[in-house]
Amino acid sequence: MPEITQALIAAADLVASGDSKLLAIIVLSLRVSLGAVFIAALIGLPLGAALAVGRFAGQLPLTVVLNAFMGLPPVVVGLFVYLLLSRAGPLGPLGLLFTPAAMVIAQVVLITPIIAALSRQIVADAWHDYAEQLKSLGAGLTQSIRTLLWDTRFSLVTVLLAGLGRALAEVGAVMIVGGNIDGVTRVMTTTIALETSKGDLPLALALGFILIGLVLALNTGAFLIRQTAQRRHG
Amino acid sequence: MAEPRRLLPLQMSEVSYRINGRTLIDRIDLSIRTGTRTVILGPNGAGKSVLMRLAHGLLEPTGGQIRWNVPEARPREQAMVFQRPVMLRRSARANIEYALKLAGVPAGQRAERAMAALARVGLETIAHNPARVLSGGEQQRLALARAWALEPQVLFLDEPTASLDPGAAREVEAIIDAIHAAGTKIVMSTHNLGQARRLADEILYLQAGRIEESTAAAEFFRQPRSAHAAAFIEGELPWR
Amino acid sequence: MALSLSITRRGLFALIAACSLFVATGVRAEDPYITVASTTSTEQSGLFSHLLPQFTKARGIQVRVVALGTGQALDLARRGDADVVFVHDKAAEQKFLDEGYVVQRHDVMYNDFVLIGPKDDPAKIAGSKDILEALRKIKDSRAAFVSRGDKSGTHAAELRYWKAAGVDLDAAKGPWYRDTGSGMGPALNTAAATGAYILADRGTWLSFKNRRDLHIVVEGDKRLFNQYGVMLVNPAKHPYVKKDAGQAFIDWMISPTGQQVIADYKIDGQQLFFPNAEKP
Ligand SMILES: Nc1ncnc2c1ncn2[C@@H]1O[C@H](COP(=O)(O)OP(=O)(O)OP(=O)(O)O)[C@@H](O)[C@H]1O
Ligand SMILES: [Mg+2]
């Protein structure tokens, strides 16, 4: 398949050229997805931990729903957020449609369930070991949640990376709510979709390789941090 | 400063604990008094751990009453060291500071009290090591230091030397002695009869969720009253 | 080094702070801009990257183009999510105007459709100048044909040609007629991969790279002309419409300057769009 070699060369050329437009697209991708992971973590981590530790009405259905929502179809989320943010929709007056903020919102909806559901599992496992000790020391529910989140931080890093990977790779939702506007809401994935539809398959594939390389680099970094930290903290 | 309120005696009357149709603790009447070191003996599965959990307030009795000398059901001035202590993923010192924080000790005093507790168990040199990579014996000593730092009036110890080599077990015994000498009531379970002889002032013999004997230690080892207890001592010392 | 590689409380806060800063620097006061709902074919022809910078330079207004099928573009305007609509489906545009979603419509330019087909030409129509006759032959020979099927302007035009050719698509449809429900580029990719005929606008075709053995089989028929119109979304219906900036864009497009800029756009020396706005 000569296209693949061609695309690899093109990818290397693109990276080497330091093309400012490409750089802007990469930066926007990271900005949007990191912002989304940040907000989704603020919601998803405490929610997951509360589901693991607490005893309250609706816990079971909420857990099942979260698990199911890990596989939300991005296009549906995109449409939903679009209708919400559209000028004719309930949040229309904010004027957020076709802005990076809209893309962040859509990605938050997509990855919060992932972060909540996976962290619930991790915290529940830790809680199994910690419950008596924490209760013995007099930790209340909120204190227990904070302690468990901190003590499972190495595993939770992996959860956040899963969220980031999904956010960075996602195209359906950001295409709809961002509009793929050149220089404003055009990110890696929507650029790839655009180049594909222009029939410039080598360029599309080259951009795909750069995206994969980016995700790989982020994961390598996080993996190394996790390794070192875990070796030191047990 | 006001005289600290007194937690003991702890009164248990007709205390039962049933779960899934099994009776683990069966109508126990018991009074735990200040001053002595109480050692709970009994075979595996007798209910020693459950009994201590009930007393410590981790389990609610399904029958009967547990009453401290103070109004609350679960007063703060008591602590427990578990058969398998859980260390938080942070340094040895931070583990103690965490317990002090939950006990309401002001931030300014925690570091000093934690270091003092570590020094008492001989762990001051590894204060900054992550707690989870300490050896079993070190973790057990750290757990004792953590409990001790809270300066409890009552300390429950569930087989504190179960997985330690003889040397480490002796170190832990010395620490328990020191805690007792500092004025803390000790309630402890063990399978090690030598340890029971060395540490106990008073023996509670538990069998199938019932207390079969509650006697002074010297008397218990000289002449156990119940057949079960006698067999238990025999079983543990087959050469006699 | 070991410290910086470990997760400490301080390290975590530093990381969060750095991320927040990185994310937040993207949020800044914005230049005045308008949102234009347009079609994928227009965007992919490359016209906008030629045209818009010159408008922005002249009037200091940024233009954000959201490129969709004509149907979706009109829907965007109907919901008030765009200020200006720039599409190529005169019948639909007229209807839209009558319904009051937009306030005025101006012809801007036209380009033409071309019928694309594989080199082996199973329907034997290469070189013909009669689009209707060509479509009839495709149907008769059951040669593979890819349709956009996405309610775009090009799709609407294709359906008009079938009708004018006297072909009852509903009755004639079979495996040979492939309804892809996709944009111009993806539909061309499909046609290239399967060796099918397809109706495309010349602009997209010229900038399309993945041609394989496709080439133009029918062009130059007057009926293939494709009229573009520009419309301002009705501010009375949608208070957020940037009326003045949108109007400035429309005025510039139909002004002699704008019309000249359109005429100047070429790919491989070929002019793609022919300005035909009425003198304002
Ligand atoms: N949460 C529980 N649910 C069901 N059964 C339990 C539970 N906790 C303890 N048990 C059972 O209660 C009995 C007493 O348990 P306990 O842990 O108190 O024994 P023990 O005397 O401490 O034994 P060992 O010497 O082995 O530590 C055991 O048979 C145990 O299986
Ligand atoms: Mg036990």
Side-chain angles (χ1 to χ4, degrees):
Chain A
M1 295 207 286
E3 289 97 337
I4 295 194
T5 336
Q6 220 179 317
L8 271 172
I9 296 169
D13 278 354
L14 268 175
V15 172
S17 73
D19 181 54
S20 69
K21 208 166 164 184
L22 175 69
L23 192 72
I25 288 173
I26 294 176
V27 166
L28 183 65
S29 281
L30 283 174
R31 205 168 254 160
V32 167
S33 296
L34 280 174
V37 168
F38 182 67
I39 297 171
L42 284 184
I43 306 168
L45 292 180
L47 178 62
L51 281 173
V53 171
R55 294 269 162 275
F56 50 89
Q59 194 171 16
L60 199 69
L62 191 54
T63 306
V64 173
V65 165
L66 275 184
N67 282 333
F69 276 16
M70 284 201 285
L72 275 181
V75 179
V76 176
V77 170
L79 270 176
F80 176 78
V81 175
Y82 169 70
L83 293 177
L84 215 59
L85 297 183
S86 165
R87 286 296 191 187
L91 299 182
L94 299 178
L96 290 178
L97 191 66
F98 303 139
T99 65
M103 301 198 284
V104 170
I105 292 171
Q107 294 197 339
V108 166
V109 176
L110 269 175
I111 62 181
T112 300
I114 298 181
I115 292 181
L118 294 182
S119 60
R120 188 203 67 82
Q121 191 57 54
I122 288 171
V123 171
D125 291 346
W127 180 234
H128 181 78
D129 296 338
Y130 281 47
E132 285 206 317
Q133 184 73 65
L134 291 182
K135 199 175 168 201
S136 168
L137 293 175
L141 201 67
T142 359
Q143 179 63 49
S144 296
I145 287 177
R146 280 168 50 192
T147 305
L148 287 164
L149 285 176
W150 180 249
D151 265 47
T152 52
R153 58 196 179 275
F154 304 132
S155 310
L156 293 180
V157 166
T158 313
V159 171
L160 296 187
L161 279 178
L164 182 63
R166 164 105 159 155
L168 276 174
E170 186 280 320
V171 59
V174 292
M175 184 69 103
I176 295 175
V177 303
N180 192 21
I181 298 170
D182 195 8
V184 182
T185 55
R186 187 161 294 172
V187 291
M188 293 290 286
T189 51
T190 57
T191 311
I192 293 170
L194 180 68
E195 292 307 331
T196 306
S197 70
K198 280 187 189 168
D200 198 342
L201 304 189
L203 179 56
L205 201 55
L207 289 167
F209 283 140
I210 294 176
L211 178 60
I212 293 169
L214 195 68
V215 173
L216 208 61
L218 284 169
N219 274 279
T220 312
F223 183 78
L224 286 179
I225 291 177
R226 195 191 143 137
Q227 282 277 301
T228 335
Q230 197 149 30
R231 215 172 310 124
R232 291 182 70 240
H233 291 273
Chain B
M1 226 194 210
E3 179 80 354
R5 59 188 196 152
R6 297 181 49 146
L7 226 54
L8 293 172
L10 169 66
Q11 290 291 350
M12 297 182 126
S13 40
E14 289 278 302
V15 170
S16 293
Y17 188 74
R18 292 173 59 82
I19 189 164
N20 305 330
R22 260 187 81 197
T23 302
L24 305 184
I25 294 295
D26 191 10
R27 286 164 294 149
I28 281 183
D29 285 303
L30 180 64
S31 170
I32 292 179
R33 261 174 269 280
T34 191
T36 54
R37 287 164 297 181
T38 303
V39 170
I40 306 175
L41 290 177
N44 287 135
K48 304 183 292 294
S49 297
V50 172
L51 181 62
M52 276 197 277
R53 284 191 172 87
L54 284 165
H56 185 47
L58 291 178
L59 295 176
E60 287 278 326
T62 52
Q65 284 198 327
I66 299 177
R67 228 185 252 131
W68 294 90
N69 192 36
V70 294
E72 314 88 283
R74 187 160 192 281
R76 279 183 160 190
E77 301 92 329
Q78 44 139 359
M80 180 157 176
V81 173
F82 293 90
Q83 219 166 330
R84 270 173 247 105
V86 176
M87 290 301 148
L88 303 182
R89 197 168 259 128
R90 54 192 82 193
S91 74
R93 191 181 99 182
N95 262 277
I96 299 179
E97 287 173 350
Y98 178 86
L100 291 171
K101 179 177 154 205
L102 291 192
V105 174
Q109 301 172 18
R110 289 178 208 153
E112 199 184 325
R113 272 178 72 170
M115 282 313 287
L118 283 170
R120 285 196 294 257
V121 301
L123 288 181
E124 65 272 49
T125 53
I126 52 162
H128 298 287
N129 290 22
R132 291 203 160 214
V133 299
L134 298 181
S135 78
E138 287 167 338
Q139 290 204 17
Q140 199 61 258
R141 279 192 280 159
L142 177 57
L144 282 165
R146 182 166 64 185
W148 196 1
L150 300 172
E151 292 168 8
Q153 291 186 29
V154 183
L155 176 58
F156 296 99
L157 301 163
D158 194 359
E159 295 187 43
T161 63
S163 52
L164 303 185
D165 67 46
R170 282 306 179 93
E171 281 178 40
V172 166
E173 280 176 28
I175 294 167
I176 294 170
D177 249 344
I179 297 176
H180 170 66
T184 296
K185 162 78 185 180
I186 302 284
V187 180
M188 171 179 139
S189 75
T190 183
H191 285 120
N192 182 335
L193 285 178
Q195 185 171 70
R197 280 180 207 274
R198 285 190 293 276
L199 287 179
D201 297 313
E202 174 188 30
I203 300 283
L204 287 178
Y205 184 76
L206 204 62
Q207 174 91 30
R210 301 271 320 155
I211 291 192
E212 296 213 341
E213 265 195 76
S214 167
T215 16
E219 200 176 318
F220 179 84
F221 286 113
R222 188 161 21 95
Q223 178 73 70
R225 263 176 282 156
S226 79
H228 283 133
F232 182 72
I233 296 177
E234 288 297 319
E236 288 282 328
L237 301 169
W239 58 88
R240 232 173 56 174
Chain C
M1 185 59 200
L3 205 76
S4 67
L5 264 182
S6 125
I7 305 177
T8 60
R9 227 166 262 246
R10 207 176 309 153
L12 191 71
F13 287 136
L15 188 71
I16 289 174
C19 280
S20 316
L21 203 71
F22 175 67
V23 171
T25 48
V27 186
R28 57 185 142 67
E30 278 164 347
D31 299 328
Y33 70 88
I34 55 169
T35 305
V36 175
S38 187
T39 65
T40 43
S41 54
T42 321
E43 153 113 303
Q44 287 175 14
S45 69
L47 175 67
F48 285 133
S49 359
H50 167 76
L51 187 79
L52 299 182
Q54 305 206 36
F55 166 70
T56 302
K57 207 164 123 212
R59 306 300 304 268
I61 300 167
Q62 304 274 345
V63 182
R64 298 182 174 183
V65 177
V66 180
L68 302 157
T70 299
Q72 286 170 291
L74 292 178
D75 197 53
L76 212 62
R78 188 178 290 120
R79 303 182 58 89
D81 292 324
D83 305 305
V84 171
V85 191
F86 185 41
V87 293
H88 55 96
D89 185 349
K90 202 162 179 174
E93 289 162 42
Q94 194 55 50
K95 185 156 168 280
F96 209 54
L97 182 63
D98 295 342
E99 288 165 352
Y101 292 111
V102 286
V103 284
Q104 41 174 283
R105 182 190 171 284
H106 298 279
D107 280 340
V108 177
M109 62 192 192
Y110 65 88
N111 69 345
D112 61 342
F113 291 118
V114 286
L115 190 66
I116 308 292
K119 286 253 157 63
D120 62 0
D121 195 23
K124 303 275 169 296
I125 49 178
S128 157
K129 287 215 179 299
D130 185 339
I131 180 66
L132 304 184
E133 184 58 27
L135 287 179
R136 273 191 290 271
K137 282 185 174 158
I138 290 174
K139 184 216 106 188
D140 290 341
S141 63
R142 296 284 185 268
F145 184 91
V146 166
S147 168
R148 293 275 296 275
D150 64 347
K151 297 204 163 38
S152 59
T154 309
H155 183 216
E158 180 211 312
L159 295 179
R160 275 200 308 277
Y161 296 138
W162 284 115
K163 198 166 168 201
V167 174
D168 179 4
L169 258 191
D170 288 329
K173 257 182 201 169
W176 64 276
Y177 186 87
R178 292 164 193 166
D179 196 332
T180 59
S182 57
M184 193 71 254
L188 277 169
N189 277 331
T190 306
T194 56
Y197 292 97
I198 180 170
L199 186 74
D201 65 283
R202 191 185 290 272
T204 307
W205 169 249
L206 282 177
S207 52
F208 185 73
K209 301 229 165 64
N210 179 35
R211 293 182 185 178
R212 305 214 185 174
D213 75 337
L214 292 186
H215 68 152
I216 294 178
V217 287
V218 179
E219 65 183 326
D221 187 331
K222 269 254 178 327
R223 286 168 295 206
L224 285 172
F225 286 0
N226 178 26
Q227 181 63 48
Y228 282 74
V230 68
M231 308 179 284
L232 181 70
V233 175
N234 192 348
K237 281 211 158 147
H238 297 291
Y240 296 106
V241 167
K242 293 167 181 159
K243 188 171 135 217
D244 296 336
Q247 190 62 53
F249 178 69
I250 293 173
D251 290 346
W252 186 83
M253 290 273 280
I254 60 180
S255 74
T257 322
Q259 294 277 294
Q260 188 56 48
V261 172
I262 291 170
D264 288 344
Y265 182 57
K266 294 191 171 76
I267 294 179
D268 299 337
Q270 285 197 48
Q271 180 174 348
L272 250 57
F273 296 97
F274 301 87
N276 67 342
E278 288 162 34
K279 294 267 150 37

